[in-house]
Every structure is written in structure tokens, then in C-alpha cells.
Amino acid sequence: MRGFILSRLGQSALVLLVMSFVIYGLIGLMPGDPLDVMLASTPGVTAEGVARLRAIYGLDQPLMLRYFHWLVAALQGDFGYSRTHSVPVLEVLAPALVTTCRLMLISFVLAVTLSFLLGITAALRPGGWLDGVISLGAFAGISVPVFWLALMMILVFAVELHWLPASGADTVGDGSLLDRARHLVMPVATLALASTGGFTRFIRASMIETLRMDHIRTARARGNPPWRVVMVHALRNAMIPVLTVIALSFGSLFSGALLTETMFGQPGMGKLIYDAILANDFNLALSGLLFATLITLLANLAADLAYAWLDPRIKL
Amino acid sequence: MTGIWITRWRRLRGHRAAMLSLIMLGLLIVFVLAAFPIEALTGIDPDEADLLSRFDPPSWAHPLGMDEAGRDVLLRLMIGGQISLLVGVLATIIGGGIGVCLGVMAGYFGGRLDGVLMRFTDGMIALPLLPLLIVLGAVDLTKLGFSAEFSHSGAAGFWRIVVIIALVDWTSIARLVRASALQIRERDYVRAARAAGAGPFDIIRTHILPNIATPIIVSFTLTVGRVILFESVLSFLGFGVVPPTPSWGNMLNNAQELVTSAPWLAVWPGALIFLTVMAVNFLGDGLQHAFDPRSEAGE
């Protein structure tokens, strides 16, 4: 067990390191230059002055060296200042991280629960009308553009029906729990629906295959009640392939979170990264992307461990 | 066409949803191509802004009305569709090509190479792709040595999105091809060919690739759907196809504000994306059934 966890941790750390370099390089390729912003507010700087500023900020050094300096600082917890927020990057990131994790966690639990219910229901009578309806719904779920789904929700529930607020995390002056929950309904529903379709399809397929196996027939023949056969004997086996799919879905869950946060004005990581890139806030964009990668990797790691725990064939 | 493909086509024809999607896709292609004759006959310029007819409601001359800049919505939907579909197909071919190459190499040669390539693929799959695509979409092409003139042209915008999506969306094809190649490598006829002195590239060309053609086709089909979704998202966020060139995604750029004033503008492009991706996914599912002999048992 220890070896398995250690090797997975090492792998994740390696991916994170490689990504930090790739993202660092890419951020440097974005339009503009950290100096542009400074120069714009102080006209009349000579070319010589620009060159001196470059030297002071180390912008004249080669990419590898700049990256190395950044990495050393980052490892000590110094991610620099955010240009647009004028505070250290971590102060902006921390609350956004909480918002995003909450949104992702609630949506994820909802999506998994819903898709297990739907997937198992569909698998009980493959080809039946209920299966048809659920499969069609699942297809719609994987085919719908998430941002458009969000738009349509806003159109129906906020603009037409006035049931729910269209954007923001709370109403100004009303920070009650109920108010915050009302603001979360549409983002959570959108994000959950975005993953439910794919999960349902996998659970259904995996359940159908498992229910055909010999040990299920034996379990039935021994007189186990049908619900026990499905929920205990079949589900455990059917879970294993499903878990790998779910484990690999956190990246797309974060992508979905970026969209829902942007669409519904939720102050999370996704919106932060998007706004930072639009505003050339290099430090914030860089750290935001890295933390997004980090939480995805950690979630993956957790799913990997659950997988190993569930599948007795994997020796720990 | 050889016998097996005729059999497969027959089986596909028996799959109602897949046939319906094929017809649907055919109609969509006719729809987007209709832009050429309509543009020629009516002389409407899809890119020309007319501030006097902003938000005009539907009329005979403009059946779906006008958008926020006074442009014909129907014609822009058709042209935008050409762009979106073309991005979908081209990015899939390029990304799929990368995936097939890496997958075959990993699966056929195995060992160390396989380990490295698959760790790389796994790392890629785990990443949150959308933020990464946004950064790639924001890259300033002049900093990569392209001329300023090219960097700001419509063609650069188009090819940029094709390339960046292809760069990130090859992983599922690579894994699938690797798994299939791994199986086929051990078959007797491949061993026989190897013993007879065939080189690896001959074996890959004559034995491996033809035998994994069907999962590749299925996977390519499903990828087209995903790429169209990626394109729409990126163009919507402003990092993909850049106006005035329309795409279904960037026609929704201002939709968030429009949803209160002109909701019909927000409905159409999204509905077309939804319909197209749905049809592509159904087709992929039908192909899978048609190609997989095991599904004979029925579900």
C-alpha cells in the first residue's frame, strides 16, 4: 500500500512540475509584457530606462533561469502579487479555491448519486421504455454545450419565471444561508447535469455486463432477493470500471466549473483564471492554473486509492 | 468494398438511431452549404453591420431576424456552421493522427517506450483541458515568430483553434489504439509475419492498422462531437474563431446580455450545436454496434 501511494504521489508531483514549466512558458507567450503595464502609466521613460527596468525585474534573462527563480520562490510559498487585485496571489486564490471546491464537490456528489440511480434503473431492463428514456437523456447530457445549458437555465428560471437569481454568490445585504443556497442552485444543477450523462452511460453498460455474469446467476439461484443481487453482488463488480472513468473525470469537472462560474458570476477559481487571462494578470493566471491542476491531480489520486481498495485483484 | 464492410453497412442500416443521425447530419450539411447559393442570390453580406436594423424581428427577407450588429442571423448560422463543422473534422483528423501514431508505437513496441508514452497520456487526461486551451488560445502568435499580418488574419484564428484542440484531444484515441495494438501484436499471423522477416512498419501497415480500423472509426466519430463542443466553448469565451467570421460558438458571445432583450439570438446557435453533437454521438454509438460482433447477442 505504501509503495503504491508513494509511486502515485511521485507521478502526480512530476506531472505538476512539468505542467508548471509548460504553463510558465505559455503565459510568457501571451500578448503583452509585465513592463507594458508599468510603462503605460509613466510616459516619457527612455529606451535606456526600459532596459534598466528589464534588468531589475530579470526580464532580460533566459526562460529557464526565470522559471527556476520563480520555482524556488513558489516552493517557499511566494507566488507574487496579483496585478489586478493588488494583493499577494494567494490571498485572492484561497477564497476562490473554497468556492470552487464547494461547487465541484456538491455537483460531483449529486451527479454520481443521480447517475447510479439512473444507470442501474436502465440496466435492469435493457431495451425497455425506461431504458430508452434514460439513454436518450444521457445522450443529450453528453451532447449539450454546458455554457448554452447555463444560458437556457438563466433564460427560463431567472428571466422568464423569476424563480432564481441569475448570477453572483449572494444578494448584497443578505448573506443568509438560504440566499446563498438559492444562488447555488443553477450552477450546481448545470455542472451536475454536465457529468451525469457520461457517468450514467458507463454505469448502465457496466451493470448490464455484470448482470450477465455467472456469479450473478448463481446468486439468483441461491435464492437471494433481487434487490440484494443487484445492489450487493452486481454493484460491487460493476463499480470497478466505472470508478476509473469517474477518476479521470475531475479534469473535465474543473473545465465545467470554469464555465458555470463564468456564466453565473460565481467568484471561484475558474472565473478567476479566465478574468486573469483576459486582464493580463500573469501571476494570478499562472498560480490559478497550477492550483487547478493540483486539485485535479489530488482528486485523481483519491479516486485511484478508492479503486485499489475496491478491486481485490490489485495487490497493495 | 470488401464483404465485411458490406455486412457492417447492413448492420448499421438496421440501427434506427444511427440512420436517423446520418440523415440529420446530411440535412445539416445541406443547411450550412446553402449559404453559398443564398448569398449569391440575395446579395446579403453576412459580415456587414447595419446599425439601423439591429435586433430586427424575423421577416421575409431575414427569416430569423437580425443580430446585435444588424446582420442576417440565418445566413450567419449557415456560415458559422461551416466553420464549426470544419473545425470539428480537421481537428479530429490531426489530433486523431497524433493519437494513432502514439498509440501504435506504444502498443506495438511496448516496454520502456510504452511506459513513457502512456504515463504522458495519463497525465494529459488528468489535466483540466479548458483552462489550458484558453491559455493556448491567448498565445500571441507574433511571439512565436509569425508575421503580425498573418497573426491577426481570420485564417490564423481558424487554424489556431484547429491546432490547439488537436494538441490536447488525442488521448482517448491513443489509449484505444494502444490497447488494440497490444492485443493484435500477439496474434499468430503477426508472429508469422515477423518470423518471415517483415519489418515493424510493414506489420503495422498491413496487419495492425487494418485490424483496428473499426474502433478507430468509432473513436474518430465521437471525437468530432467533442471537438465541436470545445470549439463552441472557446469561441464563446473569445479565444477561438474571432468575429467577424461567425461560428456557432462566437454567435453566442453576447448572448448573456441578449438573453433578456433578444432571447432568440441565444437559442439558435446553441440548439444547432446540441443537435449536431447529438447526431454525431448517436452515429458513433450505432457504428460501435455495427462493428462489434459481440453486440450480436443484443442488449
Side-chain angles (χ1 to χ4, degrees):
Chain A
M1 187 75 181
R2 199 128 122 251
F4 179 78
I5 296 177
L6 281 181
S7 93
R8 279 301 149 97
L9 269 178
Q11 246 172 51
S12 304
L14 189 68
V15 173
L16 197 63
L17 188 70
V18 172
M19 277 316 289
S20 73
F21 181 66
V22 171
I23 296 171
Y24 190 90
L26 283 175
I27 295 276
L29 288 173
M30 285 189 350
D33 186 304
L35 274 188
D36 289 350
V37 189
M38 276 184 249
L39 295 177
S41 52
T42 41
V45 182
T46 57
E48 207 174 87
V50 174
R52 265 194 25 227
L53 274 174
R54 284 195 167 280
I56 289 172
Y57 285 97
L59 290 167
D60 54 345
Q61 291 168 354
L63 177 67
M64 280 311 280
L65 204 61
R66 274 186 290 150
Y67 169 71
F68 183 73
H69 286 308
W70 172 86
L71 187 67
V72 170
L75 286 176
Q76 290 164 350
D78 176 12
F79 290 89
Y81 271 78
S82 156
R83 190 171 81 66
T84 43
H85 298 261
S86 306
V87 288
V89 161
L90 284 183
E91 272 178 42
V92 194
L93 275 182
L97 204 62
V98 175
T99 305
T100 296
C101 286
R102 184 172 49 209
L103 176 68
M104 281 172 66
L105 200 70
I106 301 175
S107 313
F108 180 73
V109 170
L110 192 67
V112 170
T113 317
L114 206 63
S115 34
F116 266 102
L117 286 176
L118 293 172
I120 293 173
T121 311
L124 289 181
R125 286 221 168 70
W129 68 269
L130 206 53
D131 176 36
V133 172
I134 291 173
S135 295
L136 190 70
F139 257 110
I142 56 170
S143 309
V144 71
V146 178
F147 65 98
W148 184 70
L149 182 66
L151 266 178
M152 293 298 106
M153 286 220 191
I154 294 176
L155 180 61
V156 174
F157 296 110
V159 178
E160 295 290 328
L161 297 173
H162 297 290
W163 284 359
L164 293 164
S167 129
D170 50 25
T171 316
V172 179
D174 178 8
S176 68
L177 199 65
L178 181 71
D179 179 58
R180 299 169 76 85
R182 269 165 51 83
H183 280 83
L184 262 182
V185 173
M186 285 208 285
V188 164
T190 309
L191 191 52
L193 281 181
S195 337
T196 304
F199 290 171
T200 304
R201 276 168 55 77
F202 276 108
I203 292 166
R204 173 184 172 275
S206 180
M207 265 316 254
I208 288 178
E209 207 171 307
T210 313
L211 283 171
R212 281 200 202 126
M213 286 182 174
D214 287 341
H215 75 270
I216 296 297
R217 204 172 38 187
T218 313
R220 281 192 212 284
R222 283 169 53 119
N224 281 297
W227 66 266
R228 206 184 133 79
V229 173
V230 172
M231 298 311 287
V232 178
H233 296 256
L235 195 56
R236 190 181 161 118
N237 279 288
M239 280 276 280
I240 294 168
V242 170
L243 228 100
T244 34
V245 172
I246 291 180
L248 290 173
S249 73
F250 292 108
S252 62
L253 188 68
F254 186 85
S255 298
L258 189 151
L259 278 174
T260 33
E261 284 167 11
T262 314
M263 300 300 298
F264 294 107
Q266 298 284 316
M269 292 279 287
K271 186 164 161 44
L272 206 65
I273 294 174
Y274 179 62
D275 291 343
I277 292 173
L278 281 182
N280 275 1
D281 191 340
F282 299 103
N283 279 340
L284 187 57
L286 176 60
S287 312
L289 279 161
L290 275 179
F291 275 90
T293 312
L294 181 69
I295 50 176
T296 316
L297 289 174
L298 287 179
N300 265 315
L301 200 66
D304 263 350
L305 292 179
Y307 179 70
W309 171 70
L310 210 72
D311 190 348
R313 284 172 300 185
I314 298 181
K315 287 265 181 336
L316 290 179
Chain B
M1 251 193 338
T2 46
I4 181 76
W5 289 101
I6 296 172
T7 318
R8 283 170 181 161
W9 169 241
R10 283 212 190 100
R11 287 175 53 106
L12 185 66
R13 277 209 341 222
H15 197 279
R16 223 173 352 150
M19 287 323 281
L20 214 64
S21 338
L22 262 186
I23 295 169
M24 200 62 237
L25 288 172
L27 289 176
L28 274 167
I29 290 170
V30 171
F31 172 75
V32 302
L33 290 180
F36 295 120
I38 288 179
E39 211 177 333
L41 285 176
T42 60
I44 301 173
D45 182 348
D47 294 341
E48 196 186 271
D50 175 5
L51 295 179
L52 289 178
S53 43
R54 296 177 69 202
F55 301 120
D56 273 5
S59 63
W60 273 111
H62 308 287
L64 290 183
M66 300 298 231
D67 69 3
E68 69 272 19
R71 298 169 296 200
D72 183 75
V73 171
L74 181 63
L75 197 58
R76 285 182 74 75
L77 274 178
M78 292 173 173
I79 296 171
Q82 292 175 9
I83 307 278
S84 295
L85 291 178
L86 209 58
V87 170
V89 172
L90 286 175
T92 301
I93 292 174
I94 299 175
I98 299 174
V100 170
C101 286
L102 293 182
V104 163
M105 284 204 300
Y108 184 79
F109 294 108
R112 202 60 163 295
L113 184 69
D114 182 30
V116 172
L117 284 179
M118 281 305 113
R119 285 292 81 72
F120 180 51
T121 312
D122 286 347
M124 198 77 193
I125 289 177
L127 293 177
L129 291 185
L130 188 57
L132 198 62
L133 280 170
I134 292 177
V135 177
L136 285 169
V139 164
D140 184 358
L141 289 180
T142 52
K143 288 195 181 174
L144 286 175
F146 290 98
S147 73
E149 193 191 347
F150 172 76
S151 302
H152 300 112
S153 65
F158 176 83
W159 284 106
R160 171 214 290 269
I161 190 159
V162 169
V163 169
I164 63 175
I165 295 179
L167 279 181
V168 299
D169 199 334
W170 47 266
T171 48
S172 58
I173 293 181
R175 276 165 73 102
L176 183 100
V177 166
R178 170 192 174 261
S180 317
L182 211 59
Q183 274 175 13
I184 290 172
R185 182 181 67 169
E186 300 305 326
R187 297 271 163 83
D188 286 337
Y189 57 83
V190 176
R191 288 160 183 260
R194 210 176 297 143
F201 291 100
D202 287 323
I203 294 178
I204 287 172
R205 196 166 46 82
T206 54
H207 295 299
I208 309 267
L209 285 181
N211 276 302
I212 57 177
T214 57
I216 291 180
I217 292 173
V218 172
S219 183
F220 267 56
T221 313
L222 295 173
T223 305
V224 170
R226 213 169 39 234
V227 170
I228 292 177
L229 285 179
F230 270 136
E231 183 275 327
S232 71
V233 168
L234 280 177
S235 300
F236 167 70
L237 292 175
F239 293 99
V241 178
V242 192
T245 310
S247 92
W248 286 339
N250 75 24
M251 289 181 73
L252 289 164
N253 273 163
N254 303 316
Q256 212 159 359
E257 290 94 65
L258 296 177
V259 106
T260 40
S261 52
W264 68 89
L265 291 181
V267 173
W268 289 115
L272 280 172
I273 300 168
F274 186 24
L275 201 69
T276 310
V277 177
M278 187 102 173
V280 169
N281 282 338
F282 263 123
L283 181 64
D285 195 51
L287 286 170
Q288 196 155 26
H289 279 273
F291 290 164
D292 185 3
R294 277 184 314 171
S295 73
E296 199 90 56
E299 279 182 12

